Amino acid sequence: MGQNEIISLQNIAVSFDGEPVLKDFNLQIGEGEFVTLLGPSGCGKTTTLRIIGGFVKPDQGDVFFNGKKITAVPPYKREVNTIFQKYALFPHLNVFENVAFGMRVHRKKEAEIQATVRRMLEMVNLTGFARRNVNQLSGGQQQRVAIARALANGPKVLLLDEPLGALDLKLRKDMQVELKKIQKQTGITFVFVTHDQEEALSMSDTVVVMDKGRIQQIGSPQDIYNEPKNAFVADFIGESNILDGVMAGDYLAEFAGKRFRCLDKGFAPMEPVDIVIRPEDIEAVPPQQAELSGTVVSVTFKGVHYEIIVDVHGFKWMIQSTRYQAVGQEIGLEIGPDDIHVMKKSEYSGMFGDYSSFSDEMEGLLNSPEGKGQ
Amino acid sequence: MKAKRAAVPYGIWMVIFIIVPMLLVLYFAFTTQEGAFTLQNIATVGRYSNVFVRSIWLGAVATAVSLLIGYPVAYIIARTRACWQSVLILLVILPMWMNFLLRTYAWMTLLEDSGLINNLLEALGLGRVHMINTQGAVVVGMVYNYVPYMIFPLYSVLAKMDPSVIEAAQDLGASQARVFWRVVLPMSMPGVISGITMVFVPAVSTFIISKMLGGGANLMIGDLIDMQFLGSSYNPNLGSAISLVLMVLILICMGIMNQFDDGESKGGGIPL
């Protein structure tokens, strides 16, 4: 990983029609890094990308590229290229001319264009497609043309705006591997936007979790998953049981009416905290062997494991286990000290909790007038 | 099946008012006034070749001017906010709600030697300019009447254009001018072609405009045909023959245009 800072966003603020989209936003991206901007729709991740690309001018703050201020530089003069959400290929040009577009605009020599396009098409496995009409290609193929077109310009930074969103699951997985491979091969800095947490975790060197126009956490995929900074990050990345708790002292957390040994310290005595316990860390055991026990209320087969919802005094826990549990059965939940993750209280505390309800989005649908009748 | 049945009324309409009249034109063009077969009418058309050339020339100039005026207008409308687009479109349509003859009369009074424009020019001390009864006046009249037909197809193509394609071109290093010539214009070719068709065809065959604004000296094919049916030189057979030749000429022009369109959409790439 190069340590040179290639892009720096400083104190950026943007609003559209008076609606703030980014607030006091600071982000540094190192050369050769694979950075993912991850967040729900409307969190400002695409806007961040468009600021780097030059399509959105920030109301406040500055953009630096290799230490040079580029805030006012128009898109066509920036050394970054973008892969757009819906590919945005030129429908009036064939595959070859799409890939060659950037080089033709820059008046490169014909021989160089021929060679580069051939090399790019080879890299994205589209050799032999040069003369095809882009409208006759499948989604996956169009995606590859878009990648080749952006890379043919030899950018220092490649911006990818949910490029895999329109592909089906299997193809998406393949493209994830392929993109990662291309990134390693070329050494180009990738700034990748997605709302798919799995995609973010599996591809990135650094994940930037965003919500409401602010960065919630920056870190490696492992950090983000294992050490979420607040309830939002814990809830957005993977599944989590989030409980209200207090720190009874160093290495001692109190939640669900019991005290548990944990690995966290340095909190004020009896400080209220959020406790995160990942479903896969909880062991289903006979009730008498565990501190907590409850009744199984639902079991869903997920292929790799069963997703089991357990009611413990009204709080619905999710556990993931490869062993089947029958609905109505009484089971114990075994939680080890390193399964407990303690977070400071934040604005998101109390917004996410147990598994007694659907996701917020689903809840919204059910509560809408159209949803009620069903 | 239902859809097919729904087409029956139009089918009948088409036979009575399109197919049959076409066959009648064909019949009259190849017969004498007594009904005997002849090629004389078609041969006579040759005598009016100067009228044909003038019509096609004036039609082409009017189409070109309409394109030059209409494209920027359509482009600007397509780029304004959605709520303003309908207002601007309305402004383009508005003159069309006025009677065609009235509009052309209005231009007569504007362009006359003692008309509004000339009075204004003289008041400004620039002197009078003879405008009425010139080819320029005919072109102005045609452009004024037909430019909406150029704007609409262009607008609908430009409004539908995916803005991210334009951003992609900028992203790849194209300045505004390059984006226009390399992406926007080629992608709007279908609109250009249909706009040209919709202006050129009525412009070539117009007759009122040339009569009112062009005077006697700038006779067009439409006037010639008009004279054969309603004028002093009553000769519907010759009129039909002229119509037929005009139709063939327009078909040829359109064929050439469409050829051009196909070439564009396949995207003139350099083969590997």
Side-chain angles (χ1 to χ4, degrees):
Chain A
M1 235 88 317
Q3 291 312 305
N4 279 345
E5 188 179 286
I6 189 155
I7 284 175
S8 170
L9 301 178
Q10 292 181 7
N11 306 317
I12 301 277
V14 183
S15 52
F16 294 145
D17 296 327
E19 198 67 30
V21 180
L22 292 177
K23 292 168 258 186
D24 194 29
F25 191 91
N26 288 283
L27 179 65
Q28 276 71 44
I29 294 168
E31 202 173 339
E33 226 180 337
F34 194 125
V35 177
T36 299
L37 306 178
L38 173 66
S41 48
C43 74
K45 54 191 193 296
T46 296
T47 305
T48 308
L49 202 71
R50 290 171 64 80
I51 287 172
I52 301 172
F55 298 109
V56 172
K57 209 182 162 309
D59 301 336
Q60 278 168 44
D62 281 308
V63 186
F64 293 87
F65 182 87
N66 264 339
K68 255 186 288 165
K69 190 157 125 180
I70 57 162
T71 319
V73 175
Y76 72 94
K77 285 184 183 160
R78 296 193 181 193
E79 283 175 276
V80 298
N81 285 120
T82 309
I83 293 174
F84 292 85
Q85 211 161 19
K86 287 181 206 119
Y87 320 137
L89 299 178
F90 304 121
H92 61 294
L93 301 175
N94 64 17
V95 171
F96 182 96
E97 286 305 317
N98 261 280
V99 178
F101 187 91
M103 286 182 286
R104 291 222 187 280
V105 165
H106 288 116
R107 302 197 190 287
K108 292 278 185 335
K109 288 205 184 76
E110 187 60 33
E112 188 189 340
I113 293 174
Q114 296 279 343
T116 310
V117 173
R118 215 179 291 237
R119 192 156 48 79
M120 289 300 144
L121 290 179
E122 202 176 318
M123 184 162 72
V124 297
N125 296 322
L126 281 179
T127 311
F129 282 74
R131 294 170 79 174
R132 292 279 190 95
N133 187 329
V134 290
N135 304 312
Q136 293 162 353
L137 302 180
S138 69
Q141 289 165 339
Q142 292 191 16
Q143 170 70 79
R144 286 151 193 272
V145 176
I147 295 170
R149 182 178 71 174
L151 289 174
N153 254 13
K156 299 252 173 61
V157 176
L158 189 66
L159 308 175
L160 304 99
D161 186 7
E162 305 214 21
L164 309 180
L167 305 179
D168 58 51
L169 186 66
K170 202 96 172 100
L171 193 55
R172 199 155 74 207
K173 299 256 179 207
D174 293 343
M175 286 305 293
Q176 287 176 9
V177 176
E178 215 160 320
L179 275 176
K180 185 76 197 163
K181 201 179 84 191
I182 290 172
Q183 195 257 339
K184 284 233 172 85
Q185 239 174 48
T186 55
I188 296 171
T189 310
F190 273 38
V191 184
F192 190 95
V193 160
T194 185
H195 60 260
D196 182 336
Q197 41 114 351
E198 207 185 304
E199 204 164 272
L201 294 181
S202 60
M203 296 173 81
S204 329
D205 299 319
T206 304
V207 179
V208 179
V209 186
M210 294 175 63
D211 187 48
K212 295 182 186 157
R214 285 212 170 88
I215 294 175
Q216 302 297 329
Q217 188 169 2
I218 303 181
S220 69
Q222 289 85 346
D223 286 347
I224 298 277
Y225 189 84
N226 295 330
E227 303 287 331
K229 246 188 198 153
N230 61 34
F232 172 80
V233 178
D235 181 77
F236 195 75
I237 316 287
E239 299 289 350
S240 30
N241 299 291
I242 304 174
L243 297 96
D244 284 323
V246 288
M247 287 304 280
D250 282 352
Y251 310 113
L252 200 61
E254 191 180 305
F255 57 90
K258 298 272 164 62
R259 286 192 172 188
F260 294 84
R261 286 203 310 111
C262 65
L263 303 178
D264 299 82
K265 59 163 181 141
F267 290 87
M270 298 312 281
E271 183 178 337
V273 290
D274 286 331
I275 306 285
V276 174
I277 299 163
R278 297 286 186 187
E280 69 272 19
D281 292 337
I282 302 170
E283 205 72 47
V285 293
Q288 58 278 9
Q289 284 179 24
E291 290 277 351
L292 294 175
S293 65
T295 322
V296 175
V297 290
S298 88
V299 179
T300 314
F301 180 58
K302 288 286 182 185
V304 183
H305 54 71
Y306 292 98
E307 210 168 79
I308 303 160
I309 305 293
V310 184
D311 186 337
V312 182
H313 303 304
F315 189 94
K316 304 268 196 313
W317 291 69
M318 179 193 276
I319 67 174
Q320 290 170 348
S321 168
T322 48
R323 263 177 303 156
Y324 177 77
Q325 306 289 339
V327 172
Q329 203 181 327
E330 190 80 8
I331 61 166
L333 309 183
E334 191 183 73
I335 300 162
D338 60 347
D339 300 334
I340 297 167
H341 176 65
V342 183
M343 305 179 302
K344 289 235 183 237
K345 284 280 178 192
S346 69
E347 57 169 319
Y348 294 101
S349 297
M351 286 173 64
F352 312 100
D354 69 351
Y355 283 87
S356 58
S357 57
F358 296 105
S359 67
D360 293 346
E361 216 167 319
M362 189 67 186
E363 203 90 299
L365 284 176
L366 290 175
N367 286 335
S368 68
E370 308 95 75
K372 262 188 184 148
Q374 298 176 12
Chain B
M1 282 313 283
K2 265 191 185 157
K4 269 188 188 166
R5 238 175 282 155
V8 169
Y10 180 69
I12 295 168
W13 173 276
M14 200 168 70
V15 169
I16 296 176
F17 294 107
I18 299 175
I19 310 274
V20 171
M22 290 271 227
L23 292 174
L24 283 175
V25 168
L26 208 62
Y27 169 79
F28 278 119
F30 288 103
T31 50
T32 61
Q33 286 186 354
E34 288 74 40
F37 176 80
T38 177
L39 286 174
Q40 191 56 45
N41 296 325
I42 301 290
T44 313
V45 173
R47 267 195 265 155
Y48 300 103
S49 56
N50 62 329
V51 181
F52 275 92
V53 169
R54 187 189 302 130
S55 292
I56 289 172
W57 165 244
L58 290 182
V61 171
T63 308
V65 174
S66 296
L67 182 62
L68 288 178
I69 294 173
Y71 202 105
V73 172
Y75 189 83
I76 291 164
I77 296 175
R79 289 284 161 275
T80 48
R81 278 166 169 259
C83 53
W84 285 104
Q85 285 191 12
S86 43
V87 175
L88 292 174
I89 284 292
L90 190 73
L91 288 177
V92 173
I93 302 176
L94 217 52
M96 294 171 74
W97 292 354
M98 249 186 314
N99 183 276
F100 180 85
L101 272 175
L102 209 63
R103 273 180 277 162
T104 312
Y105 267 121
W107 274 106
M108 274 174 82
T109 59
L110 282 175
L111 298 175
E112 267 168 0
D113 287 340
S114 55
L116 210 61
I117 295 175
N118 269 322
N119 287 343
L120 197 70
L121 285 176
E122 184 153 81
L124 291 171
L126 296 166
R128 291 177 183 272
V129 181
H130 176 66
M131 289 180 290
I132 197 78
N133 299 343
T134 61
Q135 293 197 345
V138 178
V139 169
V140 165
M142 291 198 287
V143 169
Y144 182 78
N145 279 306
Y146 300 128
V147 81
Y149 299 102
M150 180 65 83
I151 294 173
F152 287 133
L154 284 172
Y155 162 74
S156 70
V157 169
L158 290 169
K160 266 187 280 174
M161 204 173 280
D162 182 0
S164 68
V165 172
I166 292 164
E167 286 188 351
Q170 294 175 336
D171 186 74
L172 291 164
S175 59
Q176 270 198 314
R178 294 256 181 93
V179 170
F180 179 77
W181 289 109
R182 284 178 172 267
V183 177
V184 177
L185 186 62
M187 274 175 73
S188 62
M189 270 333 263
V192 174
I193 301 295
S194 69
I196 288 177
T197 309
M198 287 174 71
V199 173
F200 182 70
V201 174
V204 166
S205 51
T206 187
F207 64 103
I208 287 293
I209 297 174
S210 48
K211 206 186 249 175
M212 288 166 70
L213 300 175
N218 293 304
L219 200 70
M220 287 182 66
I221 306 173
D223 304 303
L224 202 59
I225 296 169
D226 182 41
M227 276 158 56
Q228 306 311 315
F229 288 91
L230 299 171
S232 47
S233 57
Y234 182 75
N235 187 351
N237 303 82
L238 179 59
S240 299
I242 300 170
S243 300
L244 198 65
V245 172
L246 177 63
M247 214 161 73
V248 170
L249 285 177
I250 288 174
L251 274 176
I252 291 170
C253 291
M254 290 305 113
I256 293 168
M257 285 304 295
N258 287 334
Q259 211 55 41
F260 184 54
D261 184 30
D262 282 353
E264 277 299 328
S265 66
K266 284 204 184 96
I270 287 108
L272 268 177

